[in-house]
């Protein structure tokens, strides 16, 4: 059962990282007048930076997990990150979809090599946790589920 839970988390994490990597594979948005509703590009850039910052922190916490003690210790941090990510998700949900031009500006605001490195570290950490069945930490398992649901593209 735990393996199934972690496999599901891994799949959800992969989908979330696709969103965080700024829309890779997502079809171009409709023209700006239909979707952007006069929201400045900087709003989307700031939102993407906030999300990326949270994902970097999440990656650091997940990467620090090496045994049951570190898994138990990481759980409260993951709960705090969950609250932060849920707030970011709420902010993002009220924004209209950006135009293709704004999406390009958002991507240009990031070092895509860094985004890819963080995505790879994130996935490596999840695989490691999954392969070790969460190091037997119920606290970690309880903390991880809401973290994934708080990520962009996920629903509770």
């Amino acid at each position: 059962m735990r393996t199934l839970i972690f496999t599901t988390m891994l799949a959800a994490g992969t989908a979330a990282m696709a969103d965080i990597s700024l829309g890779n594979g997502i079809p171009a948005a409709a023209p700006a007048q239909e979707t952007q509703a006069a929201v400045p590009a900087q709003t989307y850039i700031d939102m993407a930076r906030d999300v990326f910052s949270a994902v970097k922190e999440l990656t650091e916490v997940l990467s620090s997990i090496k045994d049951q003690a570190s898994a138990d210790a990481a759980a409260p941090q993951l709960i705090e990150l969950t609250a932060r990510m849920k707030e970011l998700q709420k902010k993002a949900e009220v924004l209209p979809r950006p135009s293709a031009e704004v999406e390009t500006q958002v991507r240009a605001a990031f070092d895509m090599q860094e985004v890819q490195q963080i995505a790879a570290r994130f996935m490596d950490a999840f695989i490691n946790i999954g392969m070790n069945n969460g190091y037997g930490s119920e606290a970690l398992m309880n903390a991880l589920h809401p973290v994934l649901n708080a990520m962009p593209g996920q629903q509770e």
Side-chain angles (χ1 to χ4, degrees):
M1 179 67 170
R2 285 181 183 218
T3 303
L4 176 62
I5 290 170
F6 279 109
T7 302
T8 302
M9 288 180 172
L10 182 59
T14 303
M17 287 309 297
D19 283 347
I20 290 162
S21 68
L22 306 175
N24 289 340
I26 297 172
Q33 67 271 18
E34 293 177 21
T35 59
Q36 195 175 357
V39 176
Q42 191 62 46
T43 300
Y44 293 95
I45 292 169
D46 292 344
M47 176 63 64
R49 284 184 177 145
D50 289 346
V51 169
F52 188 58
S53 174
V55 170
K56 286 189 337 186
E57 287 180 47
L58 177 62
T59 301
E60 289 302 317
V61 172
L62 294 174
S63 296
S64 74
I65 299 171
K66 305 294 182 205
D67 53 28
Q68 185 172 357
S70 60
D72 290 340
Q77 294 172 292
L78 294 172
I79 291 168
E80 288 179 24
L81 281 167
T82 298
R84 182 171 160 202
M85 293 177 85
K86 283 183 179 183
E87 287 303 312
L88 290 171
Q89 185 178 21
K90 287 178 187 175
K91 289 180 183 178
E93 286 172 353
V94 300
L95 293 174
R97 176 143 185 199
S99 67
E101 179 182 336
V102 169
E103 286 181 5
T104 299
Q105 290 174 13
V106 171
R107 283 188 197 93
F110 285 85
D111 174 352
M112 294 312 288
Q113 184 174 3
E114 180 186 16
V115 171
Q116 291 171 347
Q117 288 171 347
I118 295 297
R121 285 188 61 222
F122 176 88
M123 294 312 303
D124 286 347
F126 256 100
I127 290 168
N128 186 48
I129 291 166
M131 290 180 68
N132 289 287
N133 288 322
Y135 296 98
S137 172
E138 288 299 319
L140 177 66
M141 289 186 66
N142 291 334
L144 281 177
H145 183 71
V147 168
L148 289 173
N149 285 333
M151 296 182 111
Q154 303 302 312
Q155 296 179 11
E156 288 189 57

